[in-house]
Amino acid sequence: QKREKDAKKKQKTTEVKEVRLSCFIEEHDLQVKAKAASKFIQEGNRVKVSLRLRGRERDYANHAFDVMNDFAESLSEVATVEKKPKFEGRGIAMFLVPKTDK
């Protein structure tokens, strides 16, 4: 029991934090969101980036993918894309993880 307790203490738990974007987000707003996501990643957490397409925004899905790729590119120094952007229901989601030094 003591060994199990010690092993549990040394475990590192990672949470999944979420950052929500919109299809027509402005550049500064995107930078603010990227800064928040960078903070989450530096703490060792995974980040789920979600973008909800509402109404006619679905017609601009290509633009939404560009927004997601720009977001991932802005965090390329601290994070890698674990799961590329893809449709999940009415929105698009992708996962970012802390970059491992190899």
Side-chain angles (χ1 to χ4, degrees):
Q1 282 179 335
K2 204 170 194 179
R3 271 187 245 118
E4 287 175 13
K5 192 175 180 183
D6 286 341
K8 225 178 201 181
K9 278 184 191 175
K10 294 173 185 171
Q11 280 182 348
K12 177 139 176 40
T13 58
T14 60
E15 292 183 44
V16 176
K17 301 282 189 170
E18 185 173 6
V19 175
R20 286 182 159 185
L21 304 176
S22 64
C23 193
F24 297 104
I25 189 168
E26 291 294 324
E27 184 64 34
H28 182 262
D29 296 335
L30 193 70
Q31 290 172 0
V32 170
K33 299 276 189 177
K35 189 174 179 182
S38 173
K39 191 176 95 178
F40 294 148
I41 288 168
Q42 288 171 352
E43 291 171 0
N45 297 315
R46 294 171 63 207
V47 175
K48 177 181 180 182
V49 183
S50 60
L51 190 148
R52 181 130 185 241
L53 297 171
R54 298 161 56 183
R56 290 190 180 163
E57 288 179 354
R58 287 187 212 125
D59 296 341
Y60 299 99
N62 292 336
H63 181 72
F65 278 105
D66 292 340
V67 169
M68 295 289 264
N69 291 327
D70 289 344
F71 188 81
E73 194 175 303
S74 68
L75 291 171
S76 63
E77 292 178 15
V78 292
T80 56
V81 177
E82 181 184 49
K83 189 176 165 193
K84 292 188 176 180
K86 74 170 202 168
F87 275 102
E88 289 184 358
R90 290 186 178 176
I92 301 170
M94 83 173 157
F95 281 89
L96 301 172
V97 293
K99 194 174 251 186
T100 55
D101 297 323
K102 289 183 181 178

